[in-house]
Amino acid sequence: MQYPEWIWHNGAIKRWEDATTHVMAHALHYGSSVFEGIRSYDTFIDGRPNGAAIFRLTDHNTRLYASAKIYDMPMPYSVAEINAACREVIRRNGFSKAYLRPFAFRGLGGFGLSADTPVDMSVAAWLMGPYLGPGVLETGIDACVSSWQRFAPNTIPAGAKAGGNYLSGQLVAREARRLGFGEGIALASTGLLSEGAGENLFLVFDGALHTTPVSAALLNGITRNSIIRLARDAGIEVVERDLPREYLYLCDELFMCGTAAEITPIRSVDGRQIGAGKPGPLTQRIQSLFFGLFDGSTPDKYGWLEPLDA
Ligand code: PMP
């Protein structure tokens, strides 16, 4: 990762080296942070450049608020202020296509689990290619089912995008990499399919998309939601349902999605080839509907492209 020069921190733009926090920050000890991952893209209309846009900026920062609400963390800035900070960080670093990380965390002041430690905020941005490795959007990855399950209901809320949740993601992702796989897929405590370490899942059966429900210990992904809407509007059936593990092996096509992973095809799971072992036709169709939002071939009738210069 190449560090960006400028970071927004507690209301001001600062140099990378000045955006620091104390070793006694509550979040470092207790995982008390919430965050977002957002991408900006160069956009085009009729083949002509139409400036950079941040994909579903307001929806992401609204989810940041929802995550903070779950943990009873008072947010020090409004969604509009955080949106503005996101834009400022991208512009100040001279980026157009970037990955943004708004981050709110309990810092200093009081200590202990129930302390009303004040909430600090930062927004960073950096350049990031395909999250799961170069070329994976075209070739797909080999995945495995993790030996680690996601959180049981009413333990750690999977619906919050909170720092502490990513201890689970680290177990899943690190185990997969250690075993030589591109990514790990976790089961819920029910034994049914949940999601990837940091991505939601779509399985294809008979030309329809099947995705696991929010009750399966997953983050309700904004990419997942975008795919559901794009697919339904294109006349593709989408079913949200509980799915047993073995359906991973039996589906016609399989892909993961997320802001970082975008739409990453999966060509095998636990050594079983999926379909033809390469991105299938519906996966490619979804990729082109999704990336079409940026190259102009999919009209943005949803208002998802929020211009960088607003
Ligand atoms: N699940 C988890 C655990 C994630 O970390 C992410 C990435 N934020 C996703 C799913 C996908 O969510 P989104 O499409 O909103 O990035």
Side-chain angles (χ1 to χ4, degrees), residues 36-37 60 63 150 161 166 195-200 219-224 257-260:
E36 277 303 316
H60 275 284
R63 186 174 66 183
R150 299 281 291 166
K161 193 166 170 63
Y166 287 81
E195 62 173 345
E199 310 85 7
N200 296 126
L219 184 72
N220 188 359
I222 288 173
T223 318
R224 172 186 183 278
C257 69
T259 299

Side-chain angles (χ1 to χ4, degrees), residues 141-166:
I141 59 160
D142 300 304
C144 64
V145 173
S146 181
S147 68
W148 294 98
Q149 290 182 337
R150 299 281 291 166
F151 335 104
N154 212 23
T155 57
I156 292 188
K161 193 166 170 63
N165 292 27
Y166 287 81

Side-chain angles (χ1 to χ4, degrees), residues 54-293:
I54 309 180
F55 186 63
R56 301 190 70 173
L57 173 67
T58 304
D59 290 334
H60 275 284
N61 285 328
T62 301
R63 186 174 66 183
L64 182 72
Y65 255 69
S67 300
K69 182 174 186 185
I70 291 170
Y71 280 101
D72 198 18
M73 284 173 58
M75 289 289 283
Y77 299 95
S78 67
V79 168
E81 286 170 323
I82 303 167
N83 285 352
C86 289
R87 290 191 161 97
E88 196 180 348
V89 166
I90 293 193
R91 278 198 297 256
R92 195 63 185 261
N93 284 294
F95 298 153
S96 55
K97 192 176 186 322
Y99 181 86
L100 273 160
R101 171 54 56 83
F103 181 60
F105 61 101
R106 289 200 188 269
L108 281 186
F111 212 72
L113 299 181
S114 63
D116 286 323
T117 303
V119 175
D120 289 359
M121 256 217 82
S122 61
V123 181
W126 61 93
L127 303 176
M128 182 164 72
Y131 171 63
L132 295 170
V136 296
L137 302 186
E138 294 80 29
T139 59
I141 59 160
D142 300 304
C144 64
V145 173
S146 181
S147 68
W148 294 98
Q149 290 182 337
R150 299 281 291 166
F151 335 104
N154 212 23
T155 57
I156 292 188
K161 193 166 170 63
N165 292 27
Y166 287 81
L167 289 169
S168 159
Q170 287 174 59
L171 291 170
V172 174
R174 293 182 68 86
E175 180 185 61
R177 305 287 142 72
R178 184 168 51 78
L179 297 174
F181 292 97
E183 187 56 300
I185 296 171
L187 304 179
S189 61
T190 54
L192 299 169
L193 269 181
S194 176
E195 62 173 345
E199 310 85 7
N200 296 126
L201 283 175
F202 281 88
L203 292 73
V204 175
F205 292 100
D206 297 327
L209 290 174
H210 295 240
T211 192
T212 46
V214 292
S215 52
L218 51 84
L219 184 72
N220 188 359
I222 288 173
T223 318
R224 172 186 183 278
N225 172 270
S226 307
I227 291 168
I228 292 172
R229 290 186 64 186
L230 287 167
R232 286 191 175 142
D233 287 355
I236 299 162
E237 188 190 351
V238 185
V239 189
E240 292 179 66
R241 59 182 288 219
D242 274 326
L243 288 159
R245 170 180 181 164
E246 63 273 23
Y247 277 43
L248 287 174
Y249 308 148
L250 301 177
C251 60
D252 305 324
E253 301 177 36
L254 178 61
F255 63 87
M256 299 185 134
C257 69
T259 299
E262 298 171 306
I263 296 164
T264 302
I266 301 177
R267 59 188 174 201
S268 75
V269 180
D270 296 339
R272 276 83 158 177
Q273 180 175 301
I274 308 302
K278 55 180 194 190
L282 190 50
T283 304
Q284 288 177 322
R285 175 123 189 260
I286 298 296
Q287 283 181 325
S288 69
L289 284 171
F290 179 76
F291 290 111
L293 289 163

